[in-house]
Amino acid sequence: MRAARILLIVLVVLGGLFVAADRIAVSVAQDKAAERAQLTQGLSSKPDISIKGFPFLTQVASDKLDDVKITAHDIQAGTGAERLRIDSFTADLRGVNLSGDYQRAVADTADGSAFITYADLSAAAPPGVTVAYGGESKDGKGRVKVTGSVTMPLIGTVKRSVTSVISVEHGDTVRLHADAIPGADSIPGLDKLIREKIDFTRSLVGLPTGIKVQSVVTTPSGISVAASGTNVVLAG
């Protein structure tokens, strides 16, 4: 009985040491993965990375992590005048394959979402154009309120606020398109001039490679863009 008791104590101690070593290893790995992701994805700050599943060390031994969650902030998409800031991006990556001495990490599948504030969407809009919450239509489509002005010969400055549908295109772009331009029938050429300013698209190229934008939902504080993909590059 005494020998069995001693063996049990030894096993408990060893088990505790293994768990401690496993948690230390996953903490170090998360920090290194965040550094690598920041470098390869061109982020302004290190993302938060959480490696799920236990034990971690056996996952590393097989060069494949079951589940990795990532949260990043202040992502710059696009360049120049069409630069668009993404306030936050979260993703759940499953089946993350490790290679190149752990310098490259590619997920089999991923689901996530990006959040863009109306202030950032306005900053990325053409000059003089602002974007705000526009509620939802009866068919559930996200809508925004877009305001812009143009200068017309013999008339002067004409300002219009419209309700626009916001949608996604080509898996990497958000598009704003006005339902109608108020007073366009009474002012020749107004519809074309206003639309040239307030109907616009912006790219979300700053998201991880392999992620495709699927849909967009409007909220009172900004737009939430759902995304998913396969062979998504976390680092590499």
Side-chain angles (χ1 to χ4, degrees):
M1 289 293 293
R2 184 181 179 187
R5 216 177 284 120
I6 293 174
L7 177 60
L8 178 60
I9 292 172
V10 170
L11 290 176
V12 170
V13 171
L14 290 177
L17 291 174
F18 174 77
V19 171
D22 191 82
R23 295 302 87 190
I24 292 172
V26 75
S27 179
V28 172
Q30 287 172 167
D31 186 63
K32 294 297 183 184
E35 290 179 356
R36 186 65 181 169
Q38 179 184 5
L39 177 64
T40 58
Q41 299 296 334
L43 303 177
S44 60
S45 61
K46 282 200 306 184
D48 294 324
I49 291 182
S50 177
I51 301 174
K52 305 298 182 179
F54 178 84
F56 165 71
L57 293 174
T58 57
Q59 296 182 61
V60 172
S62 66
D63 290 335
K64 190 164 189 174
L65 306 178
D66 297 334
D67 188 4
V68 177
K69 297 185 184 300
I70 179 173
T71 301
H73 298 276
D74 192 21
I75 301 172
Q76 297 296 333
T79 58
E82 296 190 356
R83 182 184 296 271
L84 172 62
R85 177 182 177 272
I86 299 173
D87 184 71
S88 64
F89 173 74
T90 61
D92 186 4
L93 302 99
R94 295 169 296 277
V96 180
N97 300 280
L98 306 174
S99 60
D101 195 24
Y102 309 123
Q103 295 297 302
R104 181 172 173 80
V106 180
D108 292 337
T109 61
D111 293 294
S113 63
F115 188 77
I116 303 168
T117 67
Y118 292 119
D120 287 324
L121 199 53
S122 295
V129 173
T130 60
V131 184
Y133 182 53
E136 288 190 359
S137 64
K138 293 181 179 180
D139 57 6
K141 291 182 179 179
R143 294 181 183 274
V144 291
K145 179 182 178 182
V146 184
T147 302
S149 60
V150 295
T151 301
M152 302 190 68
L154 305 179
I155 297 177
T157 300
V158 178
K159 185 177 181 178
R160 289 290 185 270
S161 290
V162 303
T163 299
S164 295
V165 174
I166 184 165
S167 58
V168 297
E169 292 183 339
H170 313 304
D172 63 357
T173 302
V174 292
R175 178 176 184 263
L176 283 73
H177 181 76
D179 291 328
I181 308 300
D185 292 340
S186 60
I187 304 178
L190 178 62
D191 188 274
K192 180 177 182 297
L193 286 176
I194 285 286
R195 285 188 181 279
E196 285 177 351
K197 294 200 70 173
I198 65 174
D199 287 355
F200 65 94
T201 61
R202 288 297 180 263
S203 173
L204 301 181
V205 294
L207 300 180
T209 302
I211 283 284
K212 300 295 183 183
V213 176
Q214 305 296 335
S215 61
V216 60
V217 175
T218 57
T219 75
S221 55
I223 64 172
S224 180
V225 182
S228 63
T230 58
N231 297 321
V232 177
V233 178
L234 175 62

